[in-house]
Amino acid sequence: MTNLRRSTPRRLAMLALLTALPAATAFASAKVSIMPPEIDFGRLEQNEARTATLVVRNEGDLVLDIINVESTCGCTVAKPLRNSLPPGESTTIEVTFNSKEFQGPQHKIITVQTNDPVRTMIEIPVLADVHAPLAVLPIDKAVVFGRVPQGQGGEQVVEFSTPDLPALTVEPIKSRPDLFTIEVTPGAAPNSRRATLRLRKDAPPGPFRELVIFHTNVPQRSQVDISVSGTVLAPVVLLPEEVNFRYASPNAKMSRKFVLRPQAGTVVNVKQATIDLPGFKVTSVTRNAESGESVIEVEGLPLAASDPAAVAAQGRFSGTLRVLTDSKAAPELKAAVKYMLKM
């Protein structure tokens, strides 16, 4: 009994030690530390590049794996010198920021992914203040009118300002006057200007993408290129604009439906529909009173390969569906129709 009592404290101590060992092992892990926690490049000129270094250290008990390093626009991140760090060791990541044509305060993010169970994704802010001798809004120097019905027109504004001159002059030197007009007026301050682009109501239908060039009195930015895009919607369209039956089988009837689609609230009637593709004809024209659309159906048989016309065309036929309407803005619409023969 005495020996049992004496051995009990020792047994309890050993049991406690054995119980603690698995718990200590279970909590062992990699632990990431990144310094500095933020990169501030300060004031930069446009198109200037600067580089900073991040130090990644493993402060844990197991190997730290750097799984991935990513950055947002404007930053170039070199791969870490080492992707696996034993406890207590470190590596570096080079971060380069190119100010390009950014303007004003910039806030970017470097994201480092590791196997640290507590900090799997670490975000490092990257700050900079880019001095722009000429600030332009929109920043991407792109004006988008979108889809505009013909006759409606539209208006977009480009703003210019300079912190370096007491007065700013802006003059358009290249544009498309048949699509839009440009009016330059004073801004809120003498060193600012507003250029108003107005889409003409009589602009021709269809998509457009143009480059407008402005001249300024800022020596570092004497020329500014602005992209201008959009689509002028015709009052009525014929869809599809082209049909290609490709290789036609002998004696196999081909047919296709075309849709004459006016703008909402516009009434357009078909006066006549014809097709000049050999072997084809317009079989029906049907107008839907509810939608205002007209469906024009064409069908035909391909010519025989031995037909003199087929031989002369080398088996390639192309014709045009012509639709005459009562619309003054679109009195005639066309669609191309093609097919081929195996000669």
Side-chain angles (χ1 to χ4, degrees):
M1 179 69 70
T2 303
N3 292 336
L4 181 60
R5 288 178 178 176
R6 290 178 179 177
S7 61
T8 298
R10 183 180 298 176
R11 290 180 178 179
L12 292 175
M14 292 181 63
L15 181 61
L17 179 61
L18 292 173
T19 304
L21 283 175
T25 304
F27 285 101
S29 66
K31 183 179 180 182
V32 65
S33 169
I34 302 179
M35 295 298 293
E38 177 183 279
I39 297 176
D40 191 344
F41 285 108
R43 181 182 171 91
L44 291 84
E45 297 297 324
Q46 286 185 328
N47 297 304
E48 181 182 352
R50 290 185 188 174
T51 300
T53 301
L54 293 173
V55 177
V56 183
R57 180 179 174 83
N58 182 7
E59 297 182 349
D61 306 309
L62 300 180
V63 173
L64 174 70
D65 293 325
I66 302 175
I67 300 171
N68 190 31
V69 181
E70 294 182 346
S71 68
T72 54
C73 176
C75 292
T76 301
V77 181
K79 294 182 179 180
L81 297 179
R82 300 165 63 191
N83 288 320
S84 295
L85 300 176
E89 297 192 13
S90 61
T91 188
T92 58
I93 300 174
E94 297 294 320
V95 179
T96 300
F97 175 77
N98 189 331
S99 63
K100 300 181 181 178
E101 292 191 0
F102 296 142
Q103 52 194 40
Q106 303 296 313
H107 184 276
K108 311 297 181 182
I109 295 292
I110 302 295
T111 303
V112 181
Q113 182 181 3
T114 73
N115 65 334
D116 182 335
V118 178
R119 302 179 68 198
T120 303
M121 305 290 287
I122 303 98
E123 292 187 346
I124 306 297
V126 178
L127 309 178
D129 186 8
V130 181
H131 167 249
L134 179 69
V136 181
L137 294 176
I139 295 176
D140 61 0
K141 302 177 184 63
V143 170
V144 180
F145 280 99
R147 297 168 60 85
V148 182
Q150 189 179 39
Q152 176 175 304
E155 185 175 298
Q156 297 288 338
V157 174
V158 180
E159 297 184 355
F160 303 84
S161 63
T162 175
D164 301 335
L165 298 175
L168 175 65
T169 61
V170 175
E171 178 186 2
I173 59 175
K174 179 181 179 295
S175 67
R176 277 285 304 274
D178 60 319
L179 283 175
F180 45 81
T181 62
I182 302 176
E183 181 185 12
V184 179
T185 57
N191 59 352
S192 65
R193 286 290 183 271
R194 289 169 55 92
T196 303
L197 285 74
R198 294 185 177 91
L199 184 66
R200 297 175 61 101
K201 293 184 177 181
D202 60 351
F208 62 88
R209 182 178 294 275
E210 302 295 332
L211 190 67
V212 176
I213 301 177
F214 290 90
H215 181 268
T216 80
N217 65 331
V218 179
Q220 303 94 319
R221 294 292 303 278
S222 60
Q223 178 176 308
V224 179
D225 298 342
I226 302 293
S227 169
V228 182
S229 63
T231 300
V232 177
L233 302 176
V236 58
V237 294
L238 181 62
L239 301 173
E241 297 179 350
E242 179 179 308
V243 170
N244 192 340
F245 290 104
R246 300 192 182 278
Y247 285 104
S249 301
N251 300 318
K253 186 174 72 171
M254 297 177 288
S255 64
R256 185 61 188 259
K257 292 181 179 180
F258 294 80
V259 177
L260 188 79
R261 180 173 298 159
Q263 291 182 17
T266 303
V267 177
V268 177
N269 295 297
V270 176
K271 297 170 62 177
Q272 184 181 14
T274 59
I275 186 169
D276 59 7
L277 184 65
F280 275 72
K281 63 180 179 179
V282 175
T283 58
S284 66
V285 177
T286 306
R287 184 176 183 275
N288 186 315
E290 183 176 349
S291 66
E293 298 179 349
S294 295
V295 177
I296 302 152
E297 186 168 7
V298 301
E299 66 176 37
L301 292 171
L303 296 182
S306 58
D307 190 289
V311 175
Q314 297 182 336
R316 297 176 179 271
F317 290 94
S318 178
T320 302
L321 170 66
R322 287 181 170 83
V323 180
L324 303 182
T325 76
D326 60 358
S327 169
K328 293 182 179 180
E332 183 182 30
L333 295 99
K334 300 178 182 180
V337 185
K338 306 174 183 180
Y339 73 88
M340 294 182 290
L341 294 174
K342 291 184 179 180
M343 303 299 290

